[in-house]
Structure formats: C-alpha cells, structure tokens
Amino acid sequence: MNRTEDLLKLRPKLRRIKNELNSTLVEKFQNSTLRPILKFQHDLLMLVFHTCLIKNKILFENLSESEKESTLTQLFQKELAFRNQSLGIIIGLFTLEEYSHFAQEPGAYTKRITAMLKHRILSTYDLV
C-alpha cells in the first residue's frame, strides 16, 4: 500500500452533497477532502482547542453565544500556535495531490478551513 491509499482509507465516508455536479473545484475539495478530515480529526482538534482555552484562562462554557463566536475568532487571529497546530492537523492528512491543489491557493483554503473549524467547534457547543 502507499501513503495516498492509507490516508484515504482513514477518512470517514460522508453522505453526498446534493448538486455536487454543479459544485466548483473549491466546493468539491471542501466536500471530498476537508469535511472528512475535519470529522476524522475532531477529537484531536477539540483537545487542541481546549488546551488553548486553558492556556489563555478562558472559561468558554460561561460565555454567551456571541462572546463564544468572538473569542473563537480572536483565538484564530491572535493565537498563532493554536491556528497553525489546527491547520497542521488537517493539512498533515492531505494526499500529495491534495496538497498540490491546496498549495495553489493556500490563503483561500486556509480561510475556508478556519471557517469550517470554527463552525465545527461552535456546533460542538450547540451554537450553530
């Protein structure tokens, strides 16, 4: 077996998105690559998030919904170690082909990954 096959076998199978035929390349990458990796890495990503909260002495559970969203946005902007660890946890599970695709527009994909990760964290707290 090779690395690509091993990585693809790890990913959970997600239900297909309707109108996938009309999706852009970015949307297809999001649905076929990013969503399964985020789901697979959920527990680790949440642990990294909780570690960041502890380090910054933030009682996330006690914050209002809007404060949680604002705090999460600030953490991604100001806590570069947290942001970079989170991105690395995701990018590290790309196949070589997927990384080549990502490397063509890293800024756009990083924003998309960050938005998806924020949504996943907030939905864990039933805020979405």
Side-chain angles (χ1 to χ4, degrees):
M1 251 187 240
N2 64 34
R3 182 179 190 278
T4 297
E5 291 172 357
D6 291 342
L7 286 173
L8 294 176
K9 279 185 178 181
L10 288 173
R11 296 181 189 169
K13 303 291 183 232
L14 303 179
R15 62 181 167 79
R16 292 236 166 231
I17 305 294
K18 291 180 182 176
N19 300 324
E20 195 169 295
L21 295 175
N22 298 328
S23 299
T24 66
L25 284 175
V26 172
E27 290 169 333
K28 287 179 183 176
F29 185 77
Q30 172 182 307
N31 293 326
S32 65
T33 301
L34 298 178
R35 287 180 66 234
I37 290 174
L38 281 163
K39 183 171 184 169
F40 179 75
Q41 294 290 73
H42 177 78
D43 292 338
L44 180 56
L45 290 164
M46 290 305 295
L47 181 58
V48 169
F49 174 64
H50 283 110
T51 302
C52 183
L53 292 177
I54 291 167
K55 176 185 163 221
N56 287 286
K57 298 177 179 149
I58 298 170
L59 297 173
F60 199 72
E61 294 81 14
N62 295 342
L63 301 176
S64 70
E65 186 174 329
S66 62
E67 290 172 327
K68 285 179 181 176
E69 290 181 34
S70 174
T71 298
L72 191 53
T73 298
Q74 287 177 359
L75 287 174
F76 273 104
Q77 290 173 350
K78 295 183 178 168
E79 289 295 322
L80 297 181
F82 165 65
R83 191 185 97 202
N84 291 338
Q85 280 181 332
S86 299
L87 290 171
I89 287 168
I90 296 160
I91 294 169
L93 289 182
F94 284 179
T95 65
L96 298 178
E97 181 181 324
E98 290 166 343
Y99 182 77
S100 294
H101 182 79
F102 170 84
Q104 292 174 10
E105 288 191 65
Y109 284 116
T110 297
K111 281 183 185 178
R112 189 168 288 260
I113 292 168
T114 302
M116 292 173 73
L117 184 52
K118 284 181 191 177
H119 185 272
R120 181 165 271 281
I121 290 170
L122 291 173
S123 68
T124 300
Y125 289 91
D126 294 326
L127 298 177
V128 179

